[in-house]
């Protein structure tokens, strides 16, 4: 499957659209449509469930997008968060110097070759002003990663949540980067969402925790339905490793445009808390009450983009097959992740009333579609294409025998079950 096929499915079925499309769009910004937002919420809920709710050593945070700008001086983003940029003198196109595609032809030169400038460093942080009067307002940054506020709030969270190392703080939220060349659909955007967790540990325990988090994250990626054959670890070599990092691995995924980073699991040492301590003058060290040892905790970070995760899930799930001489497109999304867990369908419009009641009852607990239009086979195909795992059909016998037909998306097998049992049937499968 190529990327264009996936983009067109996302556009036509209401997963993802270009932002402000009627004005020509804006590069690197995307809107999630009715199905996209349901799926996105499921991805975030699945992450939160594993990373926060099922653990007693990780707590959540939802910090502001704009922080005191000194944050970004201390983190090194103001000085170092740069990408090398080149311009074509002929066609005026702009590229990231390390990502000039040899196949990209120049429209303004005779030989189609770009006439590139020397690389210049370009800071990727998006800036804005805070304050009513232009002259007195402060320049601030839209956060480039969600984790910095976790470091700033480390002590407050630890104390108020009665935690102590080893413990973690998790956050899901928007991040912004003025990428020079946003590309590959939502893979590299200028506005995106991250799911990050920073785990604070005693320096001696850092490597063990790092390995444990690598395992936990790998398991989660499989649990939400990513194809294991498309996943691999990439260990940062000495040339890629940040100077402060003890170890770093990325999970790479085989997207339709090749292998690229999906998630990072990094052992950041004490760099973050130490930098903010030095820069703010506020002590972010920890004193163990039992041993009286005082130390700056080391940090193990797990960081994954919601948008990249969506793209990886859609890539893993997309399938086509021939059924009775016809092509069937099916998104084999896990029941936890699919936009709708079930579609409730009356066999005929005459059955709309009781079927509508069943749909309303199920909607109190699950995300459920109700579709009355078209032949039943066509309705099944529509649901297959958007990944709905179960179709529940109410037919003319349902009134008498109190049963409905449940069709499973992947096997297309059908079974008849009691109307009262549908809720239990769906709960069992969404939790499986
Ligand atoms: N706090 C560490 C950090 O931000 P990163 O590797 O720059 O590390 C972490 O970003 C994750 O955020 C990436 O693995 C990716 O999933 C996602 N991400 C980063 N830049 C992105 C972009 N421009 N568009 C979409 N997702 C992005």
């Amino acid at each position: 499957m190529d990327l264009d096929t996936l983009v067109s499915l996302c556009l036509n079925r209401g997963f993802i659209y270009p932002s402000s499309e009627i004005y020509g769009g804006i590069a690197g910004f995307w809107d999630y449509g009715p199905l996209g937002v349901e799926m996105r919420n499921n991805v975030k809920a699945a992450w939160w469930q594993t990373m926060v709710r099922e653990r007693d050593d990780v707590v959540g945070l939802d910090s502001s997008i704009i922080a005191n700008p000194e944050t970004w001086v201390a983190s090194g983003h103001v000085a170092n968060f740069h990408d090398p940029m080149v311009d074509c003198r002929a066609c005026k196109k702009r590229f990231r110097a390390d990502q000039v595609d040899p196949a990209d032809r120049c429209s303004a030169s005779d030989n189609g070759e770009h006439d590139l400038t020397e690389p210049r460093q370009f800071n990727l942080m998006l800036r804005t002003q805070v304050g009513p009067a232009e002259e007195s307002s402060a320049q601030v940054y839209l956060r480039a990663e969600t984790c910095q506020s976790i470091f700033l709030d480390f002590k407050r969270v630890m104390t108020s949540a009665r935690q102590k190392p080893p413990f973690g703080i998790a956050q899901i939220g928007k991040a912004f980067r003025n990428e020079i060349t946003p590309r590959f659909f939502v893979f590299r955007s200028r506005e995106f969402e991250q799911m990050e967790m920073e785990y604070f540990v005693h320096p001696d325990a850092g490597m063990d925790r790092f390995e444990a988090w690598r395992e936990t994250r790998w398991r989660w990626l499989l649990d939400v339905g990513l194809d294991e054959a498309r996943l691999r670890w990439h260990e940062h070599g000495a040339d890629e490793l940040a100077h402060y990092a003890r170890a770093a691995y990325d999970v790479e995924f085989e997207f339709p445009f090749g292998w690229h980073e999906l998630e990072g699991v990094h052992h950041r040492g004490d760099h973050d808390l130490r930098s903010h301590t030095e820069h703010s003058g506020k002590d972010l060290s920890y004193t163990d009450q039992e041993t009286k040892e005082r130390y700056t905790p080391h940090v193990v970070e797990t960081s994954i983009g919601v948008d990249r995760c969506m793209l990886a899930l859609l890539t893993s799930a997309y399938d086509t097959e021939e059924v009775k001489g016809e092509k069937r497109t099916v998104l084999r999304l896990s029941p936890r992740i699919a936009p709708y867990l079930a579609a409730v369908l009356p066999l005929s419009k005459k059955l709309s009333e009781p079927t509508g009641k069943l749909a309303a009852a199920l909607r109190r607990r699950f995300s459920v579609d109700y579709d009355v239009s078209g032949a039943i086979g066509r309705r099944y195909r529509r649901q297959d294409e958007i990944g709905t795992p179960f179709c529940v059909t109410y037919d003319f016998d349902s009134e008498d025998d109190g049963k409905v037909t449940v069709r499973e998306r992947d096997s297309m097998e059908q079974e008849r079950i009691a109307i009262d049992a549908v809720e239990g049937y769906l709960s069992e499968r969404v939790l499986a």
Side-chain angles (χ1 to χ4, degrees):
M1 182 257 314
D2 59 20
L3 186 61
D4 288 347
T5 309
L6 200 59
V7 172
S8 119
L9 183 132
C10 285
L11 196 65
N12 295 327
R13 294 287 171 245
F15 282 90
I16 307 171
Y17 320 119
S19 160
S20 45
E21 198 178 3
I22 62 167
Y23 289 106
I26 171 166
F29 296 89
W30 300 93
D31 294 345
Y32 286 78
L35 299 185
V37 69
E38 291 291 345
M39 179 172 164
R40 204 178 162 78
N41 286 343
N42 290 342
V43 169
K44 292 192 274 183
W47 187 87
W48 198 259
Q49 181 67 26
T50 300
M51 300 296 284
V52 182
R53 294 213 168 149
E54 288 177 11
R55 306 186 62 109
D56 55 18
D57 61 345
V58 178
V59 291
L61 179 71
D62 187 1
S63 69
S64 64
I65 285 174
I66 292 174
N68 185 307
E70 288 304 313
T71 305
W72 305 102
V73 178
S75 68
H77 282 76
V78 170
N80 303 319
F81 197 48
H82 293 112
D83 270 346
M85 177 176 77
V86 290
D87 291 303
C88 172
R89 294 186 187 89
C91 69
K92 311 294 177 211
K93 255 170 115 175
R94 184 159 276 184
F95 305 91
R96 217 171 104 169
D98 54 346
Q99 286 175 358
V100 184
D101 181 355
D104 191 281
R105 309 308 294 160
C106 175
S107 56
S109 72
D110 296 339
N111 58 5
E113 301 279 328
H114 290 293
D115 177 15
L116 297 175
T117 59
E118 284 301 305
R120 283 171 295 142
Q121 291 302 324
F122 173 75
N123 192 287
L124 298 185
M125 276 201 298
L126 278 155
R127 271 163 264 204
T128 187
Q129 303 290 123
V130 167
E134 185 87 357
E135 50 306 342
S136 63
S137 62
Q139 181 183 279
V140 294
Y141 304 97
L142 302 188
R143 67 183 173 200
E145 55 182 7
T146 60
C147 63
Q148 290 305 324
S149 293
I150 294 182
F151 304 131
L152 306 186
D153 289 351
F154 158 71
K155 273 224 157 148
R156 275 234 179 261
V157 174
M158 179 169 65
T159 315
S160 56
R162 295 189 299 118
Q163 291 282 352
K164 56 183 185 183
F167 86 102
I169 305 177
Q171 168 155 237
I172 299 177
K174 291 272 184 166
F176 302 81
R177 296 183 189 177
N178 201 0
E179 299 282 359
I180 297 167
T181 43
R183 61 177 179 166
F184 299 141
F185 198 24
V186 296
F187 176 82
R188 181 170 296 114
S189 313
R190 288 177 167 147
E191 173 179 338
F192 55 99
E193 201 161 12
Q194 290 185 314
M195 303 187 284
E196 298 200 292
M197 192 280 316
E198 310 298 321
Y199 200 76
F200 302 93
V201 284
H202 186 282
D204 294 345
M207 268 334 265
D208 283 355
R209 294 290 174 164
F210 174 70
E211 288 304 332
W213 277 111
R214 284 217 299 137
E215 257 179 65
T216 304
R217 292 306 307 146
W218 187 263
R219 216 172 328 112
W220 185 85
L221 295 169
L222 300 183
D223 280 354
V224 291
L226 288 179
D227 176 359
E228 194 166 13
R230 286 177 172 268
L231 288 169
R232 70 181 185 198
W233 284 108
H234 164 73
E235 183 179 5
H236 284 211
D239 52 332
E240 296 165 276
L241 210 55
H243 67 277
Y244 51 80
R246 304 289 161 120
Y249 279 82
D250 292 336
V251 178
E252 292 184 339
F253 180 81
E254 191 184 19
F255 290 97
F257 38 86
W259 288 93
H260 291 275
E261 176 186 337
L262 169 65
E263 165 154 13
V265 182
H266 297 180
H267 183 336
R268 300 170 65 110
D270 64 1
H271 168 76
D272 305 286
L273 293 181
R274 195 170 282 284
S275 302
H276 286 300
T277 296
E278 281 163 14
H279 205 82
S280 67
K282 302 285 182 319
D283 178 18
L284 295 176
S285 67
Y286 169 74
T287 303
D288 187 316
Q289 291 309 313
E290 280 162 33
T291 62
K292 304 297 172 211
E293 184 190 2
R294 186 172 150 217
Y295 61 91
T296 301
H298 282 200
V299 168
V300 175
E301 172 183 80
T302 77
S303 175
I304 180 168
V306 176
D307 312 82
R308 277 192 199 177
C309 190
M310 294 271 294
L311 193 53
L313 286 164
L314 289 165
T315 304
S316 288
Y318 186 91
D319 196 13
T320 55
E321 61 184 7
E322 207 177 288
V323 178
K324 294 186 190 145
E326 271 188 43
K327 182 178 155 193
R328 171 170 102 118
T329 300
V330 52
L331 279 186
R332 301 189 193 278
L333 292 168
S334 124
R336 280 174 86 188
I337 298 300
Y340 295 122
L341 176 62
V344 177
L345 316 169
L347 188 65
S348 144
K349 279 194 176 134
K350 291 181 193 138
L351 299 166
S352 298
E353 201 194 320
T355 315
K357 276 192 190 149
L358 174 61
L362 294 174
R363 276 178 171 159
R364 287 204 285 268
R365 286 203 52 200
F366 311 112
S367 167
V368 167
D369 192 19
Y370 173 77
D371 186 3
V372 70
S373 57
I376 193 72
R378 283 177 68 96
R379 281 184 273 164
Y380 284 156
R381 291 288 182 275
R382 267 206 298 265
Q383 296 297 334
D384 291 341
E385 206 180 7
I386 62 172
T388 309
F390 306 102
C391 286
V392 178
T393 305
Y394 192 103
D395 59 30
F396 288 101
D397 292 332
S398 300
E399 207 72 352
D400 300 327
D401 68 2
K403 291 185 174 176
V404 282
T405 301
V406 178
R407 171 189 179 270
E408 199 273 326
R409 177 197 64 206
D410 295 343
S411 61
M412 292 182 288
E413 272 170 17
Q414 306 195 1
E415 63 178 304
R416 209 146 165 86
I417 66 171
I419 294 173
D420 296 349
V422 176
E423 190 174 325
Y425 175 98
L426 293 177
S427 344
E428 262 173 40
R429 279 147 186 90
V430 79
L431 291 175

